[in-house]
């Protein structure tokens, strides 16, 4: 009836950078696995906090007033409405935890923006 999920194995189904995949759900919060490299886009999520947990590699989270460096095993919550831009010099595996209503790149739409339907596939 119940079976565990290996977090590292969840990244096997991700083939494109900046294309998160939903791997689980807790109430209205989605757990998403993403492989990232380079930078995404400056954006904010109004009304939703977003948690980044670094599974493998490292990430620099840029904010308008500075940056925070994250390494494997670190996590950081970006509060609602705070503009941020994730940047990874090398491939980084990230577990995201955010409400199901969170838009991938907030109100910013780029070629890297993924819909919830794309993230569920």
């Amino acid at each position: 009836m119940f079976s565990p999920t290996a977090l590292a194995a969840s990244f096997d189904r991700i083939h494109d950078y900046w294309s998160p995949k939903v791997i689980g759900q807790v109430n209205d919060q989605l757990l998403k696995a993403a492989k990232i490299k380079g930078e995404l886009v400056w954006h904010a999520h109004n009304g939703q906090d977003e948690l980044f947990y670094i599974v493998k590699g490292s990430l620099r989270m840029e904010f308008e007033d500075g940056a925070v460096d994250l390494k494997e095993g670190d996590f950081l919550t970006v509060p609602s409405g705070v503009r941020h831009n994730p940047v990874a010099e090398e491939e980084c595996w990230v577990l995201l935890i955010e409400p199901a209503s969170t838009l991938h790149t907030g109100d910013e739409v780029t070629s890297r923006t993924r819909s919830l339907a794309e993230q569920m596939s």
Side-chain angles (χ1 to χ4, degrees), residues 38-43 59-70 76 78 82-89:
E39 66 181 272
L40 185 55
V41 64
W42 280 95
H43 65 285
L59 168 72
R60 183 178 70 252
M61 186 64 71
E62 296 180 340
F63 296 101
E64 291 179 323
D65 61 352
V68 174
D69 291 317
L70 303 166
L76 175 73
V78 178
V82 173
R83 288 182 50 79
H84 59 286
N85 183 31
V87 179
E89 298 299 325

Side-chain angles (χ1 to χ4, degrees), residues 11-112:
F11 289 88
D12 292 343
R13 60 185 275 232
I14 301 170
H15 306 290
D16 298 316
Y17 295 129
W18 304 107
S19 188
K21 298 296 180 191
V22 174
I23 60 169
Q25 184 169 356
V26 178
N27 299 314
D28 69 336
Q29 300 290 313
L30 297 180
L31 286 75
K32 301 176 181 180
K35 290 181 181 175
I36 62 176
K37 186 175 180 182
E39 66 181 272
L40 185 55
V41 64
W42 280 95
H43 65 285
H45 304 284
N46 294 317
Q48 299 105 7
D49 296 337
E50 182 177 35
L51 184 139
F52 289 76
Y53 172 76
I54 309 305
V55 176
K56 181 178 174 183
S58 61
L59 168 72
R60 183 178 70 252
M61 186 64 71
E62 296 180 340
F63 296 101
E64 291 179 323
D65 61 352
V68 174
D69 291 317
L70 303 166
K71 62 185 181 325
E72 190 171 313
D74 289 345
F75 73 91
L76 175 73
T77 300
V78 178
S80 167
V82 173
R83 288 182 50 79
H84 59 286
N85 183 31
V87 179
E89 298 299 325
E90 301 295 329
E91 182 175 278
C92 178
W93 294 6
V94 179
L95 174 67
L96 301 164
I97 302 174
E98 58 193 17
S101 60
T102 302
L103 299 176
H104 183 217
T105 54
D107 291 336
E108 304 297 325
V109 178
T110 74
S111 62
R112 291 188 169 161

